[in-house]
Amino acid sequence: MTDQTIARRQTNKRYLVWGMCLSLSVVIAFVWPQHTMNAAKFVVWGLVVVAPIVIPGILLAAWIIASGADTYIASAFEGRTLRTVLAASLIGAITPVCGVTVLPLMAGLLAAGVPLAPIMAFWLSSPITDPAMLATTAATLGIGFAVGKTLAAIGLGLFGGAATVLFAKAPWARDALRDNGFARQLSAARCGGDKTFDPWVWQTKVRRQSFGKQFRATGRLILICLIPAFAAEYALNAALTPGALAAYVGKDQWWAIPAAVFVGAPAYIDGYAALPLTRGLIDNGMSEGAAMAFLISGGVVSIWGAMAIAPVLKLKPFLLYLFLAVLGSLAAGYVFGWAVHS
């Protein structure tokens, strides 16, 4: 089979997927016109709200790739495995980035041969907290929750990175990136050859082209990820209320923490909006351990968190990410619940 035939089939497949999505959208708009209009407004407003955070992240990611600064950043993820896992967990827990905006850098590092273990550690710890989230959590839920959440982020990164080391020699771990347009576009600029560091990217034509290519690829990916995620968030908010969710995770029973992970995480809104929701659930009888499990799992297993990883990781690394995220969230909930009541 020639490369031209393969490319034609991939193009036809892409058109088929987009056609199905468009047809489904038309059907939904016809059946639920009011909800469709409200969902569209919700999506647009959601994009407007996150734009001040996402756009600088896209610019920063494009500059890092175009300037060659990723070579220095990659050094923190190279070397002895346990040291790099610890460094990645700490960096992920204290940096104000989310999985979507850091995606191009992580894809570039994977394509450059950086082991999956420190990348997994960073991906698991980064969506949970950052300095601003720490302060907001302390103001909303108390200092105990804020400290516990930060420690859980670091612990989840360490656990996930250490567990991934066990699969380091597996072929799917050594080559974790999907062979698709997203991964190729996100990693192409970095993999085009060794580049010296030059922060003045606009002074060189090649670096300007690299910056523009990376910016467009990242912006396109983020829109493709965020638009369905915000639409799903609207649907979840319309279907679930804090009272309805409390019926599953509101009682201090043995199943409260697993329910908070498996029922609460898909309904997670975002890090800041989830805090008053969690406070309301606690006021309605939710246990502290279940609340912590809800907050931790929501950051890494929610639609937002998962959709930031799925486009570029192969199935086995992605399933490993989900498994580690769920297991770590359960552990965080049980440990925090035990610490509160001990």
Side-chain angles (χ1 to χ4, degrees), residues 22-97:
L22 181 59
S23 300
L24 180 61
S25 301
V26 171
V27 171
I28 293 175
F30 180 78
V31 176
W32 295 294
Q34 188 60 44
H35 276 300
T36 301
M37 181 64 66
N38 293 338
K41 294 178 180 178
F42 186 88
V43 168
V44 172
W45 178 245
L47 293 175
V48 171
V49 170
V50 301
I53 299 174
V54 172
I55 292 178
I58 298 174
L59 292 170
L60 177 61
W63 176 85
I64 288 173
I65 300 298
S67 67
D70 53 330
T71 302
Y72 295 93
I73 297 174
S75 63
F77 294 87
E78 296 173 344
R80 300 183 62 179
T81 304
L82 293 181
R83 181 183 66 82
T84 59
V85 166
L86 175 59
S89 301
L90 293 173
I91 293 171
I94 64 175
T95 51
V97 296

Side-chain angles (χ1 to χ4, degrees), residues 103-118:
L103 186 57
L105 176 59
M106 297 297 102
L109 296 179
L110 282 173
V114 176
L116 179 61

Side-chain angles (χ1 to χ4, degrees), residues 268-335:
Y268 192 86
I269 304 171
D270 64 56
Y272 293 99
L275 294 176
L277 170 61
T278 304
R279 182 174 60 189
L281 291 171
I282 293 175
D283 292 340
N284 285 315
M286 184 187 224
S287 69
E288 289 84 353
M292 180 60 71
F294 175 80
L295 290 174
I296 299 300
S297 64
V300 291
V301 192
S302 66
I303 294 174
W304 175 289
M307 288 188 69
I309 311 299
V312 298
L313 280 188
K314 290 181 178 178
L315 180 60
K316 287 185 179 179
F318 178 67
L319 292 178
L320 177 63
Y321 168 85
L322 292 181
F323 175 76
L324 295 173
V326 169
L327 199 60
S329 300
L330 290 170
Y334 283 116
V335 171

Side-chain angles (χ1 to χ4, degrees), residues 206-221:
V206 174
R207 294 182 186 271
R208 288 198 303 269
Q209 291 175 342
S210 175
F211 181 91
K213 183 177 182 179
Q214 197 72 26
F215 182 86
R216 290 190 298 271
T218 307
R220 176 170 171 262
L221 174 61

